[in-house]
Structures are given as structure tokens and as C-alpha cells.
């Protein structure tokens, strides 16, 4: 007793408990600061924070006007991160995101190229309406999101750490949208669906955002403290029962793995990156709720936001009106109780 084996080198249990208690206080301060600006949408705020605390990226999906952009800018201020915003449009080019090389000439007449960083060189990148740009421009973020660097004119350039992309996406049924490539969707740790606010929250929005003064986000923690919490989450132990539940869920969501309904309705399912995302987010959710280890309930709660953008339905399933959430619910529900 006194040591915890997480599969890597042993860590001190007392040190983890002490760090977790401090992290709980910091996370509580973050939630309070966000709630001063974002009214309602507790589930959306929680899932977005879980993605950041896990060190990943999140895709926020919803119709315009649901405060997706405001949530991202608020998180940048609250978490002490430098932030940039890119408004994606059909004519946006990759160089508008990554940066480009320009030619300089010194006083002797010698010419040389100089790299001018683009807005991707920040700690929190707000990719607004990412699916309004062409696939060529969307793919410019692929290397940045996975490898935390970009390559311009054959030269690699490291991005600041931590680096998070919080992208907003309009529903694909709307005009002028391009579906994100599957490879890029897989880079998002979670897809967060943003619904319309409840009546009480919308009433508060009407009253508090149309007056002479409006609430402004205030810093709650520093960038260094955020990185410390992210490191702590990776040290948290995961019970074998939770690991088994993650493996069972992810593998069951793939065609040809013994689930008849999935075989009939799913054309392709989640890869190993989904299991990695589940491991990290389950730990983060446990800490978010004040627990030192995740449970199977965390796996069930995270199934939809982690799996839905990593699966695709067959044509016949879509024709019958079956939704991807229905399939995921069928994978999770039998395990209840």
C-alpha cells in the first residue's frame, strides 16, 4: 500500500492524492469562472473542459448562435492560454492558417527567406465554422493537431505547448458546408453536440447580455497549472474492469466483431485512437467529479461524444432513419445495471 502501479513506473499514492486535491480546487475555480459568462449548457462546458484537461482537441457541433465561439474564447481567458481565432471561409488557403515564407533583403542587398508564423502558432486555436472551408484548407490542421508542429517549405516549426484546437462546426445540412475528412475527425478527442439552451438559461441570457454591462471572463488558473493537471490525469490509475469495458465498447462498435446490429448498420467503426481518447477522458471525468479513478459509468457517459464522429452508417441504415447515436446507445444500454 502507498504505491500505485499505472502500468509505467510506480508513483507515490500520497503525492497523487495531494495533487488531485489541489487540482479539484483549480477545476472548481475554472467551472465557476466559466459559469459567470456561459449560462446553462453544463454538459457542453463539461465535455469541452474534459477534452482540454485530457490534452486533446474538441469539435463543437450546433447551429449558429448557441455561444460556441463565446465558450472557446472564455476558456482561453479562464485557463490562461494565448489564443487566436480563425474564421473559416471557402476562399481560405492553408498558408492563411500555417504561415508562409517571405523574402527579405538586408542592407547589403542579400536576399533570404523568413518564415512568418500564421495564427496556428498559439496555445488555444479557435477554428470557427471549420466545415465552411475546402478540404484542402481543413487538412492544413492535420499535422498540427497530431504532431504539434507544421511543415512549411520543407522546414518543421514546433507549435507552442500546450496546443489545443477547439473547432466549431455547423450541421452538415446547412448550405455551404464541407464534411470534414475522416482522418481529421479522428484527431478530435471528442465531438461535443451543442443543443438549444433550456428556458431558464435562455431567460438569463436575455436579461444579462442585453444591458449596459456584460460579464467578462477572468483568469482562474495559469497555463503552467493547466499542464500540471494534464500530467496528473495521465498518472491516474485505471482499474482493469474499466480497461476491459473500454476495449469491449470500442471493439463492439466495429463491423465484423460479433455485434449483429453494428454489422447491419455501421460501414466503418472506431480505431484504437478512440480507446486512447476514452482512457484519457475517463480519467479526466473522474477528477472533474472529485474521484481518483474512473469507473465504468464514465465509459458509458463518454461513449457518445468519443465514438459518434469515429463511426459511419451504411446507406441502408441512413435510409431507414437510424442515427449513429441510436447505435451507440444500443452498445451502452445493455450494460446498465
Amino acid at each position: 500500500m502507498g504505491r500505485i502501479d499505472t502500468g509505467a513506473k510506480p508513483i507515490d499514492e500520497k503525492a497523487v492524492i495531494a495533487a488531485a486535491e489541489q487540482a479539484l480546487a483549480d477545476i472548481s475555480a475554472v467551472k465557476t469562472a466559466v459559469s459567470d459568462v456561459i449560462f446553462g449548457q453544463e454538459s457542453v462546458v463539461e465535455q469541452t473542459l474534459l477534452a482540454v484537461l485530457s490534452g486533446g482537441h474538441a469539435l463543437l457541433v450546433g447551429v449558429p448562435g448557441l455561444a460556441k465561439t463565446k465558450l472557446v474564447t472564455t476558456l482561453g481567458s479562464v485557463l490562461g492560454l494565448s489564443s487566436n481565432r480563425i474564421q473559416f471561409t471557402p476562399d481560405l488557403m492553408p498558408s492563411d492558417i500555417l504561415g508562409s515564407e517571405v523574402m527579405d533583403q538586408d542592407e547589403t542587398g542579400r536576399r533570404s527567406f523568413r518564415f512568418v508564423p500564421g495564427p496556428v502558432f498559439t496555445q488555444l486555436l479557435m477554428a470557427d465554422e471549420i466545415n465552411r472551408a475546402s478540404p484542402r484548407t481543413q487538412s492544413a490542421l492535420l499535422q498540427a493537431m497530431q504532431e504539434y508542429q507544421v511543415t512549411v517549405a520543407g522546414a518543421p516549426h514546433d507549435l507552442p505547448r500546450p496546443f489545443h484546437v477547439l473547432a466549431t462546426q455547423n450541421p452538415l445540412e446547412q448550405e455551404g458546408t464541407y464534411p470534414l475528412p475522416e482522418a481529421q475527425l479522428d484527431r478530435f478527442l471528442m465531438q461535443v453536440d451543442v443543443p438549444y439552451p433550456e428556458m431558464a438559461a435562455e431567460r438569463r441570457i436575455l436579461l444579462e447580455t442585453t444591458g449596459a454591462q456584460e460579464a467578462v471572463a477572468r483568469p482562474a488558473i495559469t497555463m503552467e497549472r493547466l499542464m500540471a493537471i494534464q500530467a496528473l490525469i495521465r498518472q491516474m490509475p485505471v482499474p482493469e474492469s474499466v480497461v476491459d469495458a473500454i476495449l469491449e465498447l470500442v471493439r463492439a462498435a466495429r463491423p465484423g466483431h460479433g455485434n449483429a446490429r453494428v454489422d447491419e448498420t455501421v460501414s466503418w467503426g472506431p480505431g484504437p485512437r478512440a480507446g486512447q481518447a476514452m482512457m484519457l477522458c475517463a480519467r479526466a471525468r473522474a477528477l472533474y467529479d472529485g474521484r481518483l479513478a474512473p469507473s465504468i459509468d464514465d465509459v458509458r457517459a463518454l461513449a457518445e461524444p468519443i465514438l459518434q464522429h469515429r463511426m459511419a452508417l451504411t446507406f441502408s441504415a441512413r435510409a431507414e432513419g437510424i442515427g449513429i447515436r441510436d447505435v451507440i446507445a444500443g452498445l451502452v444500454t445493455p450494460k446498465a445495471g
Side-chain angles (χ1 to χ4, degrees), residues 133-314:
S134 66
R136 177 186 179 188
T137 301
Q138 293 172 3
S139 64
L141 282 177
L142 270 175
Q143 183 186 17
M145 293 173 66
Q146 182 62 29
E147 302 174 19
Y148 302 100
Q149 68 175 15
V150 298
T151 302
V152 177
H157 301 274
D158 291 332
L159 296 171
R161 299 300 297 271
F163 174 72
H164 302 281
V165 175
L166 296 182
T168 68
Q169 174 176 288
N170 293 334
L172 295 180
E173 310 84 58
Q174 293 193 346
E175 293 290 334
T177 60
Y178 300 83
L180 290 178
E182 290 81 359
Q184 184 164 1
L185 282 172
D186 199 25
R187 264 65 175 187
F188 286 103
L189 205 64
M190 302 172 71
Q191 175 179 315
V192 181
D193 292 329
V194 184
Y196 289 106
E198 296 180 354
M199 180 177 288
E202 191 162 3
R203 176 184 293 274
R204 188 178 174 193
I205 291 170
L206 293 177
L207 294 174
E208 299 196 20
T209 62
T210 58
Q213 293 183 337
E214 189 172 345
V216 178
R218 53 182 174 78
I221 61 174
T222 63
M223 173 266 293
E224 292 79 11
R225 186 63 195 132
L226 173 62
M227 294 183 70
I229 295 174
Q230 291 173 341
L232 171 66
I233 286 171
R234 287 183 171 268
Q235 293 177 331
M236 293 174 62
V238 180
E240 283 297 322
S241 59
V242 175
V243 177
D244 291 341
I246 292 172
L247 282 170
E248 182 180 347
L249 173 64
V250 172
R251 293 180 66 83
R254 301 169 184 164
H257 282 73
N259 188 297
R261 179 170 170 80
V262 170
D263 292 343
E264 294 173 359
T265 58
V266 177
S267 60
W268 51 267
R273 194 176 281 122
Q276 295 171 324
M278 187 72 77
M279 285 280 284
L280 287 171
C281 291
R283 287 166 164 154
R285 189 173 188 270
L287 185 62
Y288 192 88
D289 288 344
R291 293 175 280 117
L292 291 178
S295 67
I296 294 178
D297 287 339
D298 294 315
V299 177
R300 295 170 182 158
L302 293 167
E304 184 177 302
I306 286 179
L307 295 182
Q308 63 177 326
H309 60 298
R310 293 183 166 98
M311 301 170 65
L313 295 173
T314 62

